Amino acid sequence: MKQIFLLSFLALASIFSITSLAQSPAAAPIAPAKPAPTKPAPSTPAPAPAKPLVPALPQSPTTNPDSSGNQDIIKILRKAKSFNTLIRLLKTTQIINQVNAQLVTTKNGGLTILAPDDGAFSQLKAGYFNSLGERQQKELIQYHVLPVYVSSSNFDSLSNPVLTLASDSPQGFQINVTAYGNSVNISTGVLDATINGIVYTDKTLAIYHVDKVLIPLDFVKPKAIAPAPALAKAPKADKENSSADDDDQAQGTKDSSDAISLIHMHGVSVLVSLGVSLFAAGVTIML
C-alpha cells in the first residue's frame, strides 16, 4: 500500500510540475538600449520681411517678376484702369519711348513711375497742360518718373532731394519723399501728394498711384530779372562833330564880328576921305 501511495504521489507531483511549466509565460527578450536623443543646435531666426509702406490696390495686375525688360507700361496702365489721360500724354509727348528704352537698357537701376489717375488730372486748371510749351509738357511727364527702382518698402531709404527723369542737373526738377508708418508723401515745393497704392511692381519696374499731378517748382519760380542796360555813351565821332560844329559856329561869329568891324572902319575912312576932299575944294574956290 505504501508503494502504491508513493507512486501516486510522485505521479501527481510530475503532473503538477508539467502543468506549471506550461502555464508560465516565456521570458520577455531584453530590449536594446536606446541612444540618448541629441538636442538640435539653436538656429538663428530668419529676419522678418520688410513691411510694405505702400498697400497694393485691388485692381493692381498680378505682379510678374520679370527682369528681361519686356514690361509693357501702356498695357499695365490700361489694365489697371483710370489712367487714360496719363497714357495719352505718354504717347503724345513720346516720353513712353524714352521710358521703354531706358527700361530695356538698364541692368540694376530700374524705373519707378508715379502715376496720377484721371481724377488727379481733372483737378488741374482747365487747359493747363496745353498752356505749356512743348518742352515743359515733356518735362512734366518726365517729372513723374524716377530713374531708379524703388520697392514698396524702401521709400524711407531715399535721400532727399530725389532726382527725377526731368532732372538735367542736380539742382532742377527734384522731389522730397517722406515715409512714415504706412504713408508715403511727396513734396514738389508747389504741392504735397500721397502715394495711395501699388499699381505694378517687379524686380526692375514699379508703378505707384499718386493722388495729384506733380507740378515742379521750376515751373513757378520767378525768372531772374535781367539787369537794366547801361546808358549808351555818345559816340566819339559825334562828339568830335559836335565840337567841330561849335568851332565852325564860333569861327562864323568871329568872322561876322570881324566883317562888321571892317565895315565900320571902312565907313569911317570914307567919311574922313570925303571930309578932306570937301575941305580941299573949299580952299581952292577961295583962292
Side-chain angles (χ1 to χ4, degrees):
M1 288 290 295
K2 291 182 179 180
Q3 292 179 351
I4 294 172
F5 178 78
L6 181 60
L7 291 173
S8 299
F9 179 76
L10 291 175
L12 289 174
S14 298
I15 294 171
F16 180 77
S17 298
I18 293 171
T19 305
S20 298
L21 291 173
Q23 291 179 352
S24 62
I30 300 174
K34 295 182 178 180
T38 57
K39 294 182 179 180
S43 59
T44 304
K51 186 177 181 180
L53 298 173
V54 181
L57 297 176
Q59 70 272 24
S60 298
T62 304
T63 57
N64 179 24
D66 182 7
S67 59
S68 61
N70 293 326
Q71 301 94 329
D72 189 334
I73 295 173
I74 297 298
K75 184 177 180 180
I76 292 171
L77 291 173
R78 187 175 289 117
K79 186 175 181 180
K81 300 179 181 180
S82 301
F83 295 97
N84 296 320
T85 304
L86 179 60
I87 292 172
R88 177 173 57 82
L89 297 179
L90 281 168
K91 291 181 177 180
T92 56
T93 59
Q94 298 182 355
I95 297 302
I96 187 61
N97 298 332
Q98 178 186 4
V99 172
N100 283 333
Q102 186 160 344
L103 190 59
V104 169
T105 56
T106 187
K107 293 182 179 179
N108 299 319
L111 288 176
T112 300
I113 299 176
L114 306 174
D117 61 8
D118 296 335
F121 278 101
S122 67
Q123 297 175 16
L124 294 176
K125 183 179 178 180
Y128 174 78
F129 190 81
N130 292 330
S131 68
L132 302 175
E134 182 179 352
R135 179 176 178 179
Q136 284 188 319
Q137 289 178 355
K138 292 183 178 181
E139 289 171 340
L140 181 63
I141 302 303
Q142 290 172 325
Y143 191 61
H144 291 76
V145 183
L146 308 184
V148 293
Y149 169 76
V150 183
S151 69
S152 60
S153 58
N154 287 343
F155 277 99
D156 54 356
S157 65
L158 295 175
S159 298
N160 290 317
V162 179
L163 298 180
T164 66
L165 200 62
S167 302
D168 53 0
S169 67
Q171 287 77 30
F173 294 96
Q174 301 170 337
I175 61 174
N176 288 310
V177 178
T178 305
Y180 56 92
N182 290 330
S183 177
V184 179
N185 293 334
I186 298 173
S187 175
T188 70
V190 178
L191 53 81
D192 295 327
T194 301
I195 296 181
N196 288 338
I198 303 170
V199 178
Y200 178 86
T201 183
D202 58 27
K203 293 182 180 179
T204 57
L205 173 64
I207 303 177
Y208 300 102
H209 171 226
V210 291
D211 62 347
K212 294 178 183 178
V213 178
L214 306 180
I215 305 299
L217 180 61
D218 304 73
F219 281 10
V220 297
K221 281 182 180 178
K223 296 183 179 180
I225 301 175
L231 295 176
K233 295 182 179 179
K236 188 175 181 181
D238 294 343
K239 183 176 181 181
E240 292 177 352
N241 293 336
S242 177
S243 300
D245 293 340
D246 293 340
D247 294 341
D248 293 342
Q249 184 177 1
Q251 185 66 31
T253 304
K254 182 179 179 182
D255 294 343
S256 299
S257 300
D258 292 343
I260 293 172
S261 299
L262 181 60
I263 293 172
H264 178 70
M265 292 176 65
H266 183 68
V268 172
S269 299
V270 170
L271 291 175
V272 171
S273 299
L274 183 58
V276 172
S277 299
L278 291 175
F279 178 76
V283 173
T284 301
I285 293 172
M286 288 177 63
L287 292 176

